[in-house]
Amino acid sequence: MGNLTLNKVCKSFGPVDVIRDVDLEVKDGEFCVFVGPSGCGKSTLLRMIAGLEDITSGDVCIDAAVVNTVPPSKREIAMVFQSYALYPHLNVRDNMGLGLKQAGQPRAEIAEKVDRAAKMLDLEKYLTRRPGELSGGQRQRVAIGRAIVRKPKLFLFDEPLSNLDAALRVQTRIEIANLHRELGATMIYVTHDQVEAMTLADRIVVLRDGRIEQVGAPMELYNNPANEFVAGFIGSPKMNFLNAPALGQPGRSLGIRPEHLTLSRDGGLIEGRVSHVEHLGGETLIYLRADPHGLITVRLFGEHAASVDDRAFVTPDMARAFHFGDDGLRMAA
Ligand SMILES: Nc1ncnc2c1ncn2[C@@H]1O[C@H](COP(=O)(O)OP(=O)(O)OP(=O)(O)O)[C@@H](O)[C@H]1O
Ligand SMILES: [Mg+2]
């Protein structure tokens, strides 16, 4: 089993409060993703769960047992970092089996577990190579393999793919999703990448300044954000926040995603001028300058001809718009 419960967990470094009153329950087998701006406390929280960082107050529980003072090696947790942290002088097989060897497991058993993990991760050809003879993606898979062989209750990943190029990120992301399905293990995964968060997570935890802003399934956060912060953080390109009073709408801002705006040359609710165009092939992003709303991003499917300084109008699909009050919270419809 791998249930994790955080009860009023806090962490201060001297006078600085980095994690504040975090309550969270992660169910056995769940894939939970932590997102939030740089410095919001994602890595610190992960390290507290792993036991690599002391807890200032509150409780970390694994399968209902408080583990606050249990050393990392006894928590049955495996952590995979952005820097692979492999031993350069050991080959892939020995890197993957090292933890088991240190735990005193028999050689034949270690070999069998490493073989199984290597097969799962497509690393069988590389077992006798050293990390220096591998690509970044292969090294990251070795680091994941080293975690798998230990059969941990909980996998913790801290931005494991951020050193990889775009194609390899996609491939490894799919491998991690498959791995989660195959192992049925509980996974907690920190990322900056919107696509990773949306595609991997059963539930996403949005953090800001050491506090949880919202927890929910990816599409729940996308379709039903509790506040302006979550609305702006989930989704890429980011949601537009229009000036609500200028549109005769209630609240401080009217949130509308770039894909929920229509663009027209002839007329519409908001008039502006094209300030920048990005042709991505499958879609086109048009940035429109429209005071008092600022820069409005419009996302159009496929190719679309537009030039800087063109006059254009946008109209929000009001059924998809969100109203936010002065406190930044969602207003009732
Ligand atoms: N040992 C430390 N002493 C003092 N402050 C620290 C220490 N470690 C982290 N912090 C501070 O705690 C805050 C949270 O850091 P943390 O590394 O958890 O952020 P993060 O969300 O992982 O950010 P990033 O996305 O950039 O990795 C930051 O403001 C950081 O400066
Ligand atoms: Mg971090």
Side-chain angles (χ1 to χ4, degrees):
M1 292 284 277
N3 290 291
L4 171 78
T5 310
L6 305 179
N7 281 328
K8 295 261 166 296
V9 165
C10 299
K11 173 77 189 178
S12 312
F13 290 109
V16 187
D17 298 331
V18 172
I19 297 294
R20 311 158 194 240
D21 281 331
V22 167
D23 285 315
L24 181 68
E25 215 169 303
V26 181
K27 294 258 179 304
D28 185 45
E30 191 175 359
F31 201 121
C32 182
V33 172
F34 291 176
V35 298
S38 183
C40 71
K42 304 178 295 294
S43 297
T44 304
L45 193 54
L46 214 58
R47 291 170 55 81
M48 290 163 78
I49 295 167
L52 299 170
E53 204 77 74
D54 289 338
I55 294 158
T56 306
S57 64
D59 288 322
V60 174
C61 308
I62 298 174
D63 291 336
V66 176
V67 296
N68 292 8
T69 57
V70 176
S73 59
K74 296 275 181 330
R75 291 193 187 191
E76 294 181 69
I77 282 177
M79 190 150 169
V80 179
F81 301 91
Q82 175 181 353
S83 60
Y84 324 115
L86 300 176
Y87 292 99
H89 58 290
L90 297 181
N91 68 22
V92 168
R93 175 177 290 286
D94 293 340
N95 261 293
M96 282 169 68
L98 188 65
L100 301 179
K101 190 175 163 196
Q102 284 166 345
Q105 291 207 7
R107 283 180 66 150
E109 213 168 286
I110 298 175
E112 193 194 315
K113 285 178 180 166
V114 169
D115 284 336
R116 204 177 318 140
K119 190 166 177 217
M120 223 183 248
L121 294 164
D122 209 7
L123 284 170
E124 289 160 299
K125 291 199 292 272
Y126 309 109
L127 284 169
T128 56
R129 288 204 204 167
R130 291 184 182 181
E133 300 163 327
L134 300 174
S135 74
Q138 290 160 347
R139 282 180 219 175
Q140 192 52 282
R141 296 213 299 274
V142 176
I144 293 170
R146 183 178 50 185
I148 293 175
V149 295
R150 294 176 44 206
K151 285 229 159 132
K153 285 184 172 176
L154 213 57
F155 284 88
L156 306 180
F157 295 92
D158 196 351
E159 305 199 43
L161 309 187
S162 47
N163 283 341
L164 307 183
D165 71 35
L168 215 46
R169 278 181 90 118
V170 174
Q171 186 193 327
T172 316
R173 185 177 85 218
I174 293 169
E175 276 162 12
I176 289 177
N178 289 337
L179 205 64
H180 177 246
R181 250 193 311 273
E182 262 173 65
L183 299 174
T186 313
M187 296 188 171
I188 302 181
Y189 189 103
V190 170
T191 183
H192 271 111
D193 187 302
Q194 288 284 330
V195 179
E196 278 175 30
M198 294 299 282
T199 56
L200 288 173
D202 292 315
R203 278 192 311 160
I204 297 177
V205 176
V206 183
L207 290 161
R208 173 164 67 155
D209 290 340
R211 279 202 181 84
I212 293 182
E213 288 281 320
Q214 194 174 356
V215 181
M219 289 315 288
E220 203 174 308
L221 296 191
Y222 180 87
N223 286 321
N224 208 5
N227 55 48
E228 212 170 344
F229 179 80
V230 172
F233 199 82
I234 298 290
S236 176
K238 197 172 157 352
M239 184 184 282
N240 295 294
F241 296 104
L242 309 180
N243 184 314
L247 297 171
Q249 293 286 325
R252 169 172 80 188
S253 71
L254 185 80
I256 183 84
R257 297 197 183 277
E259 51 271 40
H260 299 146
L261 285 164
T262 49
L263 188 82
S264 161
R265 297 192 182 283
D266 311 322
L269 187 67
I270 300 167
E271 182 180 352
R273 281 197 184 273
V274 175
S275 87
H276 186 60
V277 183
E278 291 178 335
H279 298 284
L280 301 173
E283 64 185 39
T284 307
L285 300 179
I286 296 178
Y287 300 88
L288 204 73
R289 169 81 48 204
D291 289 327
H293 307 290
L295 205 60
I296 300 176
T297 311
V298 186
R299 181 185 205 171
L300 301 172
F301 188 72
E303 293 173 41
H304 195 94
S307 309
V308 171
D309 275 342
D310 280 358
R311 205 165 70 110
F313 297 86
V314 287
T315 307
D317 173 359
M318 288 306 287
R320 307 298 302 258
F322 302 101
H323 293 88
F324 299 100
D326 288 331
D327 51 6
L329 297 180
R330 265 285 283 296
M331 297 167 68

